Amino acid sequence: MLLEDWHTHSSFCRHATGNLEQYVIAAINKKLNVIGLSAHFPYEILKEIENIPYQEYSMPTDELDSYVFNAISLREKYKNQIAVKIAFELDFVEKQVEKHHKYLQKYSDQIDYIIGSIHNLNTSFGLFAFDDFRFLNYYDRFEDTDEIFMNYYKTMQAMISSEQFHFTTIGHFDLPKKFNILPNNKELIMEEEFKALQLAKKRDIVIEINTSGLRRPIKEQYPSEEIIKKMYNLGIDVVLGSDAHHPNEIAYEFKSSIRLLKKIGYKRLAHFTKMAKTYVKI
Ligand SMILES: [Zn+2]
Ligand SMILES: [Zn+2]
């Protein structure tokens, strides 16, 4: 079976260990067919980011060239051993989409896919980095944590509906559960999740099975089995992503994830080349 990891980081991201080549070599050693390099896109082009430590979230914009050129040279160097795919994990922040565009255009003929993710929510007290443990004390500012879930899924619906936001894949779909916080009103939140799934299907967006959740307090992949079943029923395509922040985490728990996907009914995984989707069998 061909294993492909579509979500990895590196020292370019400032909070991950190991350079790009170390990730590529780790993937070759694990006999992967694909290693997707998906660095966090620079935050510094965004406005009103003063209250988040964005310098620790991604490379500055003046390193974009070096990231892409480094990835291109690795793609060439190891082309007989592995397919190196070039990507970004792009943060969706409402009303700030067109800025990404200007920078991304330069690399458009090199990019294989883009992960659209939400790590920050607009709130009355500014941007809230809800998945950063340093912001856990902010959770007390909400009367009910369901407000966070609602905000998150409304933002996700806006991301999927945004015509200017070009992306192929939704990253860590149910991320707000990371710290083992689950919705109080499960039905209400599930309704919003389902709306996001329907929009994703309509736009032919792929959803990743992100195994980093298994390394977090929630101890479960993103999204939950319940959501993956709904995705399967809607005919939504999937890829696997480890969200590795260390070369050792490449392809983390992929075999058990493939077992889960097969149990649900999935027979193939998506694969991207220059933003075009094909499939590999599982
Ligand atoms: Zn990261
Ligand atoms: Zn992420």
Side-chain angles (χ1 to χ4, degrees):
M1 193 195 311
L2 298 175
L3 289 180
E4 306 189 335
D5 193 339
W6 294 88
H7 193 150
T8 69
H9 296 280
S10 72
S11 48
F12 271 106
C13 301
R14 297 298 187 273
H15 57 276
T17 310
N19 62 38
L20 287 181
E21 188 159 19
Q22 288 170 314
Y23 284 80
V24 173
I25 291 169
I28 292 170
N29 289 340
K30 289 191 178 168
K31 307 212 168 12
L32 263 56
N33 187 50
V34 163
I35 169 93
L37 306 174
S38 55
H40 294 279
F41 198 77
Y43 277 71
E44 63 179 20
I45 58 167
L46 299 170
K47 289 178 300 194
E48 290 158 26
I49 48 173
E50 303 72 31
N51 61 333
I52 58 167
Y54 63 91
Q55 300 92 337
E56 297 166 33
Y57 289 170
S58 64
M59 70 186 93
T61 44
D62 62 13
E63 283 184 23
L64 276 168
D65 278 352
S66 135
Y67 167 69
V68 175
F69 294 142
N70 199 333
I72 292 171
S73 71
L74 292 170
R75 183 172 66 192
E76 188 56 28
K77 182 173 175 184
Y78 293 103
K79 67 179 176 199
N80 296 324
Q81 287 152 284
I82 194 165
V84 174
K85 301 289 185 180
I86 304 174
F88 285 106
E89 181 178 12
L90 201 54
D91 240 67
F92 178 79
V93 179
E94 257 186 306
K95 301 189 180 70
Q96 299 202 42
V97 173
E98 59 295 332
K99 293 195 169 188
H100 286 136
H101 239 343
K102 203 179 87 192
Y103 286 90
L104 275 169
Q105 228 158 24
K106 186 172 172 190
Y107 311 107
S108 58
D109 56 345
Q110 298 297 339
I111 293 176
D112 290 299
Y113 65 100
I114 289 176
I115 301 172
S117 291
I118 298 155
H119 303 97
N120 296 281
L121 297 172
N122 277 317
T123 67
S124 54
F125 51 85
L127 272 190
F128 168 39
F130 68 94
D131 88 313
D132 181 336
F133 70 94
R134 291 167 291 190
F135 284 75
L136 271 173
N137 56 334
Y138 280 56
Y139 278 69
D140 297 339
R141 300 185 183 195
F142 298 89
E143 236 172 82
D144 182 345
T145 44
D146 281 3
E147 277 179 51
I148 299 168
F149 282 92
M150 280 303 264
N151 184 336
Y152 177 80
Y153 285 112
K154 293 283 183 204
T155 306
M156 181 178 286
Q157 291 160 19
M159 172 175 87
I160 307 168
S161 307
S162 166
E163 280 173 25
Q164 296 126 302
F165 193 72
H166 295 290
F167 72 116
T168 56
T169 311
I170 297 174
H172 35 63
F173 184 87
D174 53 355
L175 183 60
K177 73 181 178 186
K178 177 175 178 175
F179 299 115
N180 205 14
I181 296 163
L182 292 169
N184 294 315
N185 188 340
K186 197 174 172 241
E187 246 171 68
L188 178 77
I189 302 303
M190 184 50 91
E191 243 172 67
E192 296 305 320
E193 290 170 342
F194 196 65
K195 279 185 211 162
L197 295 182
Q198 286 173 310
L199 290 169
K201 174 59 191 171
K202 206 168 129 197
R203 197 174 157 183
D204 196 22
I205 296 288
V206 166
I207 298 181
E208 67 167 3
I209 309 303
N210 183 311
T211 58
S212 74
L214 293 159
R215 309 191 292 269
R216 308 283 179 240
I218 185 68
K219 296 259 180 290
E220 176 183 271
Q221 78 290 328
Y222 308 108
S224 67
E225 183 171 346
E226 188 183 2
I227 296 172
I228 302 173
K229 282 180 182 157
K230 291 187 194 310
M231 286 158 47
Y232 177 73
N233 291 333
L234 285 168
I236 292 174
D237 293 324
V238 292
V239 290
L240 291 177
S242 66
D243 213 340
H245 283 68
H246 188 289
N248 289 344
E249 293 170 345
I250 298 257
Y252 183 79
E253 288 293 336
F254 273 18
K255 289 191 176 146
S256 61
S257 301
I258 287 182
R259 276 200 297 277
L260 173 67
L261 287 173
K262 281 182 162 174
K263 186 184 88 178
I264 291 169
Y266 278 99
K267 293 186 175 58
R268 60 183 194 180
L269 301 174
H271 178 105
F272 288 98
T273 307
K274 304 279 160 71
M275 305 294 275
K277 182 173 65 172
T278 52
Y279 297 97
V280 289
K281 275 195 213 144
I282 53 169

